[in-house]
Amino acid sequence: EAGVAQSPRYKIIEKRQSVAFWCNPISGHATLYWYQQILGQGPKLLIQFQNNGVVDDSQLPKDRFSAERLKGVDSTLKIQPAKLEDSAVYLCASSTSNYGYTFGSGTRLTVV
Amino acid sequence: RKEVEQDPGPFNVPEGATVAFNCTYSNSASQSFFWYRQDCRKEPKLLMSVYSSGNEDGRFTAQLNRASQYISLLIRDSKLSDSATYLCVVNQGGKLIFGQGTELSVKP
């Protein structure tokens, strides 16, 4: 089975610029998550989708972050404008149940 | 108070040592519990689920105490390849809440 695909692997941008990340979950996985992992910390949930609907976005900084999953399959996460503190690894995960989570390899963002 | 708290690391142990990781969680309504392993610059991967009855997978033993809201992971006869960050994870309503992780370094 193919895993969760994410792109790009790395991105370096200047503060105040915009950036977008893409995730393609495992086929058939209805639930998709975006996590932010700052160096030295555990992953923090930003947003959870069930098919194309948002289940939880309580920790998404909505003034600068947005995410969509229009057709209930792949998803994009956007940051506009980026701040220095947004430097982190952005992990996408998908699941069919409360137990079967699979993470992608992540996008490492550096904001300079 | 953090939702999931782990022992601060890093743990530096010799090969063959037994090492224990501890974790507490704040939400008593949490439904299921896991340990994940994360290698340097890699994504987290499921190591094992944790059950109240305790469960074992080879050299790894996990334990859950719901009354104390406490989770543990024991690694026996540690190997160089066990060096990684171990993340305590709690499922709350279908979303995974991660602890900050405890780094383990196993030395020859």
Side-chain angles (χ1 to χ4, degrees):
Chain A
E1 149 180 282
V4 176
Q6 287 189 248
S7 67
R9 284 299 309 274
Y10 305 93
K11 191 73 178 179
I12 301 175
I13 62 172
E14 294 183 351
K15 59 183 179 184
R16 292 187 290 276
Q17 284 188 323
S18 301
V19 64
F21 313 127
W22 175 82
C23 172
N24 191 11
I26 292 174
S27 177
H29 281 198
T31 311
L32 184 148
Y33 311 81
W34 283 101
Y35 282 82
Q36 179 193 58
Q37 187 172 23
I38 293 172
L39 186 65
Q41 299 181 19
K44 182 184 85 171
L45 179 68
L46 293 175
I47 189 167
Q48 177 185 352
F49 291 95
Q50 181 74 21
N51 296 309
N52 61 348
V54 175
V55 174
D56 185 341
D57 64 357
S58 56
Q59 296 199 81
L60 187 73
K62 299 181 187 65
D63 57 334
R64 298 183 301 107
F65 286 63
S66 64
E68 60 184 15
R69 193 184 183 199
L70 292 175
K71 296 182 179 179
V73 181
D74 57 349
S75 175
T76 55
L77 176 70
K78 297 179 182 177
I79 308 175
Q80 180 179 8
K83 293 185 175 181
L84 296 176
E85 60 260 36
D86 298 332
S87 294
V89 176
Y90 291 85
L91 293 160
C92 179
S94 70
S95 151
T96 57
S97 69
N98 286 343
Y99 295 89
Y101 294 80
T102 302
F103 282 88
S105 52
T107 296
R108 186 172 299 273
L109 174 67
T110 303
V111 183
V112 298
Chain B
R1 182 184 172 188
K2 291 181 181 176
E3 291 186 88
V4 181
E5 290 202 66
Q6 298 186 235
D7 290 333
F11 286 7
N12 296 301
V13 303
E15 271 187 293
T18 296
V19 60
F21 300 108
N22 302 306
C23 171
T24 57
Y25 60 96
S26 60
N27 189 336
S28 60
S30 299
Q31 299 154 300
S32 50
F33 309 88
F34 310 92
W35 284 100
Y36 273 68
R37 171 190 169 131
Q38 187 170 28
D39 292 293
C40 187
R41 304 180 78 86
K42 298 286 189 181
E43 71 274 21
K45 292 187 177 178
L46 178 65
L47 179 65
M48 59 197 302
S49 300
V50 189
Y51 305 111
S52 297
S53 54
N55 49 302
E56 189 173 306
D57 182 3
R59 298 180 294 107
F60 298 81
T61 301
Q63 192 76 44
L64 166 67
N65 184 321
R66 283 190 181 267
S68 304
Q69 296 179 203
Y70 168 82
I71 306 163
S72 65
L73 175 68
L74 187 75
I75 305 176
R76 291 181 300 279
D77 188 23
S78 53
K79 313 290 186 190
L80 297 177
S81 57
D82 294 333
S83 296
T85 296
Y86 290 82
L87 295 156
C88 177
V89 186
V90 170
N91 183 320
Q92 292 178 8
K95 65 181 183 182
L96 296 185
I97 309 297
F98 286 78
Q100 76 273 28
T102 303
E103 184 182 348
L104 172 66
S105 180
V106 182
K107 305 291 188 184

